[in-house]
């Protein structure tokens, strides 16, 4: 592998905050420094890359994604642009032109429409040219389906219209059984991640999400020129031997644990997140609880007994109460220390009060959160406020998590929100609740170094640019760099650039563009001009 000098830019490294150049020797970073020393290295390398003022950072790691769904969205099956019932009908009609059998699309969200009324089944069927359709809501916890689809899937006993909960699961499972696993969509999604500066992704798979065949096809992709793939498999177990056999049935090291989108509840948008109190816009409704504390405890005991990481999909405060009660029951059986050592984690966990944060810390539970959810649904007129009223103000408190010492990683839940690590940084710095905001550095580390730790990566240099670290990084446009911290209470580093704190791009207005992504010395994506030979 070639020896390459990158120079005339900025290198994000705590080891040398003022570095402007970096040498990559094969798959390893071998040197960092300034321009004077870079000139001496130029004659000893195979090629020189002029950064032209660009920035090199560790590559991003996606902590929560759905690759096949993202690939379908990227290929055009996206309803996210709908702003009304009529515009949704137009988008469905466009999808029908591309379809030969079923119309399958996703991404509509009527919570911000002026008139939230959805189209009638007859109108949607007409737009779909009489074909069966499955139109998933943006959160993929509910969908619009018609009689034609239900009859085709032998689910004629279900009511057409909008479906959620067990009915939605039945439709998704039936669709999975009739559709071929779509590896081309998974590859498309991985290529998209590479173009956005990501070198690793964590897929959230489950029997009710694409199914096992799709996960096996994904894990079979063995291409060093694509981002590295890890996964969670969301299947409930109650026996330690079965848990061990299940993990061992996948390629070694690819499945990080049993859980991820193993649902305790659903989503706020679909009114299926499980709450302590009624929904503000649906009195008498508290959502759907898929797992009870006894089942949660049994899963934790089975996984912990074989040192397997367990994780759960949790959004509502009522669901979080049930999860923590499950941890209490598990601790009574195997002890808190056994639970702590497995780094169990929760996905989303949006509604957390001070007492619950203390209990998360008690069991060393890691949380995976998505700040762009707040950007999409926060604010006084957003979906959160519609569903929760005043309770929405305390949601997604990233700062409180960090201040309490709860381990946290950040991601996108793509395709629910777009693939863009810098958008996550921006969202984390600009949460609707000012007290929930975190610094750019904290948001960046929660998508790089911290995410490797969450995956159990043993290399202490992973997610860093230091001598001896794997050459896994991204090159970015960067017109302005700064130390950005909105809340000094959680900042233990100086904001004075002269103190040597490494700086990140200012993302208030302009989002950096990826120029090159490299994973362990292999280029995954590149738009840089051809390098000069040394």
């Amino acid at each position: 592998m070639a020896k390459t000098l990158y120079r005339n830019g900025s290198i994000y490294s705590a080891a040398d905050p003022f570095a402007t150049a970096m040498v990559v020797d094969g798959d390893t970073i071998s040197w960092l420094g300034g321009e004077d020393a870079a000139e001496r290295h130029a004659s000893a390398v195979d090629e020189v890359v002029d950064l032209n003022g660009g920035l090199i950072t560790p590559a991003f790691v996606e902590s929560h994604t759905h690759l096949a769904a993202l690939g379908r969205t990227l290929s055009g099956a996206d309803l996210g642009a709908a702003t009304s019932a009529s515009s949704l009908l137009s988008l469905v009609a466009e999808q029908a032109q591309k379809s030969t059998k079923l119309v399958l699309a996703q991404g509509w969200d009527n919570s911000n429409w002026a008139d939230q009324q959805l189209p009638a089944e007859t109108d949607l069927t007409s737009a779909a040219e009489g074909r069966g359709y499955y139109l998933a809501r943006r959160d993929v916890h509910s969908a619009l389906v018609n009689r034609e689809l239900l009859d085709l899937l032998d689910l004629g006993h279900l009511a057409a219209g909008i479906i959620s909960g067990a009915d939605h699961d039945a439709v998704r499972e039936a669709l999975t059984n009739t559709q071929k696993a779509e590896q081309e969509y998974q590859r498309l999604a991985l290529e998209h991640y590479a173009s956005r500066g990501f070198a690793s992704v964590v897929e959230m798979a489950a029997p009710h999400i694409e199914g096992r065949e799709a996960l096996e096809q994904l894990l079979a992709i063995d291409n060093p020129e694509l981002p590295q793939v890890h996964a969670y498999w969301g299947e409930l177990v109650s026996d330690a031997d079965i848990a061990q056999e299940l993990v061992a049935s996948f390629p070694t090291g690819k499945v990080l644990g049993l859980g991820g989108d193993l649902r305790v509840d659903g989503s706020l948008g679909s009114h299926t997140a499980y709450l302590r109190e009624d929904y503000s816009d649906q009195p008498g409704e508290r959502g759907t609880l898929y797992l009870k504390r006894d089942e949660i405890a049994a899963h934790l005991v089975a996984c912990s007994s074989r040192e397997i990481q367990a994780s759960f999909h949790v959004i509502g405060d009522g669901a979080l109460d049930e999860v923590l009660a499950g941890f209490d029951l598990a601790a009574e059986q195997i002890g808190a220390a056994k639970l702590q050592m497995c780094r169990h984690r929760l996905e989303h966990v949006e509604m957390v009060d001070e007492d619950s944060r203390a209990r998360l810390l008690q069991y060393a539970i890691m949380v995976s959160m998505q700040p762009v959810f707040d950007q999409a649904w926060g604010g006084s007129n957003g979906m959160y406020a519609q569903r929760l009223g005043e309770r929405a103000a305390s949601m997604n408190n990233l700062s409180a998590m960090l201040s309490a010492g709860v381990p946290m990683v950040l991601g996108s839940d793509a395709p629910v929100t777009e693939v863009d690590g810098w958008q996550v940084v921006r969202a984390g710095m600009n949460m609707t609740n000012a007290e929930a905001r975190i610094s750019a550095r904290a948001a960046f580390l929660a998508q790089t170094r911290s995410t490797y730790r969450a995956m159990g990566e043993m290399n202490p240099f992973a997610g860093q640019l230091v001598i001896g670290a794997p050459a896994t990084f991204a090159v970015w446009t960067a017109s302005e760099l700064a130390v950005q911290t909105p809340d000094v209470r959680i900042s233990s580093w100086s904001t004075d650039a002269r103190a040597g704190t490494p700086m990140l791009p200012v993302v208030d207005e302009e989002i950096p563009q990826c120029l090159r992504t490299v994973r362990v010395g292999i280029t995954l994506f590149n738009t840089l001009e051809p390098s000069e030979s040394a």
Side-chain angles (χ1 to χ4, degrees), residues 6-331:
Y6 294 84
R7 64 180 302 182
N8 188 29
S10 298
I11 315 297
Y12 184 83
S13 173
D16 188 348
F18 302 108
T20 62
M22 179 175 81
V23 172
V24 173
D25 189 353
D27 59 3
T28 305
I29 296 171
S30 62
W31 176 81
L32 298 167
E35 284 305 306
D36 291 342
E39 189 64 36
R40 295 193 293 271
H41 280 275
S43 60
V45 300
D46 299 303
E47 58 181 3
V48 177
V49 176
D50 188 344
L51 296 172
N52 291 310
L55 170 70
I56 297 182
T57 71
F60 284 118
V61 180
E62 171 63 84
S63 65
H64 189 124
T65 189
H66 302 278
L67 290 168
L70 174 59
R72 284 192 292 272
T73 298
L74 294 170
S75 67
D78 185 7
L79 304 175
T83 57
S84 65
S86 60
S87 63
L88 179 58
L89 288 171
S90 297
L91 290 170
V92 172
E94 290 178 16
Q95 291 301 313
Q97 295 295 316
K98 307 173 187 176
S99 306
T100 57
K101 295 182 179 179
L102 300 176
V103 178
L104 307 177
Q106 59 200 41
W108 61 268
D109 179 3
N110 62 333
S111 65
N112 61 353
W113 296 357
D115 180 355
Q116 296 185 11
Q117 184 68 38
L118 291 166
E121 180 194 352
T122 53
D123 294 334
L124 283 167
T125 301
S126 177
E129 299 181 352
R131 299 185 182 95
Y133 61 75
Y134 170 83
L135 311 174
R137 197 180 188 282
R138 183 176 180 179
D139 54 39
V140 201
H141 284 270
S142 59
L144 290 163
V145 299
N146 62 353
R147 177 53 48 196
E148 285 77 1
L149 177 80
L150 296 174
D151 289 343
L152 181 67
L153 299 178
D154 292 327
L155 295 173
H157 61 285
L158 299 181
I162 187 164
I163 57 169
S164 62
D167 290 350
H168 185 230
D169 290 346
V171 169
R172 284 179 64 86
E173 183 177 353
L175 281 171
T176 297
N177 292 336
T178 61
Q179 302 295 309
K180 294 180 180 178
E182 298 169 291
Q183 196 177 71
E184 68 270 21
Y185 289 136
Q186 297 166 339
R187 287 180 178 273
L188 177 62
L190 287 170
E191 291 169 357
H192 183 67
Y193 268 105
S195 74
R196 297 301 182 94
F198 286 79
S200 297
V201 302
V202 179
E203 169 78 358
M204 294 294 162
H208 65 281
I209 305 175
E210 310 294 346
R212 174 151 185 156
E213 182 182 357
L215 177 58
E216 289 177 341
Q217 277 208 328
L218 172 63
L219 298 181
I221 297 175
D222 186 18
N223 187 340
E225 296 183 358
L226 290 173
Q228 184 179 33
V229 176
H230 292 285
Y232 286 92
W233 177 243
E235 186 171 336
L236 187 69
V237 295
S238 58
D239 179 272
D241 290 337
I242 292 176
Q244 188 171 38
E245 291 170 5
L246 188 54
V247 171
S249 69
F250 294 100
T252 302
K254 291 287 190 177
V255 169
L256 301 172
L258 298 179
D261 271 339
L262 178 57
R263 296 169 304 172
V264 178
D265 67 344
S267 73
L268 289 166
S270 295
H271 290 98
T272 52
Y274 188 68
L275 307 180
R276 292 173 181 168
E277 302 175 5
D278 293 355
Y279 279 89
S280 296
D281 58 350
Q282 283 195 3
E285 176 60 57
R286 294 195 177 185
T288 304
L289 189 65
Y290 292 104
L291 296 178
K292 302 287 183 64
R293 61 190 64 185
D294 291 344
E295 297 171 295
I296 294 166
H299 186 78
L300 287 168
V301 170
C303 290
S304 301
S305 297
R306 295 293 184 268
E307 298 183 2
I308 296 169
Q309 188 181 29
S311 57
F312 301 93
H313 166 111
V314 185
I315 288 185
D317 48 8
L320 181 58
D321 290 342
E322 200 73 12
V323 168
L324 293 172
F327 270 86
D328 291 341
L329 290 174

Side-chain angles (χ1 to χ4, degrees), residues 237 341 416 529:
V237 295
M341 68 181 292
V416 177
E529 293 296 323

Side-chain angles (χ1 to χ4, degrees), residues 49 52 194-195 475-477 513-517 523-531:
V49 176
N52 291 310
S195 74
V475 183
W476 307 92
T477 60
Q513 300 300 304
C514 183
L515 302 174
R516 178 178 287 187
T517 306
T523 299
L524 311 185
F525 171 79
N526 183 48
T527 62
L528 287 172
E529 293 296 323
S531 304

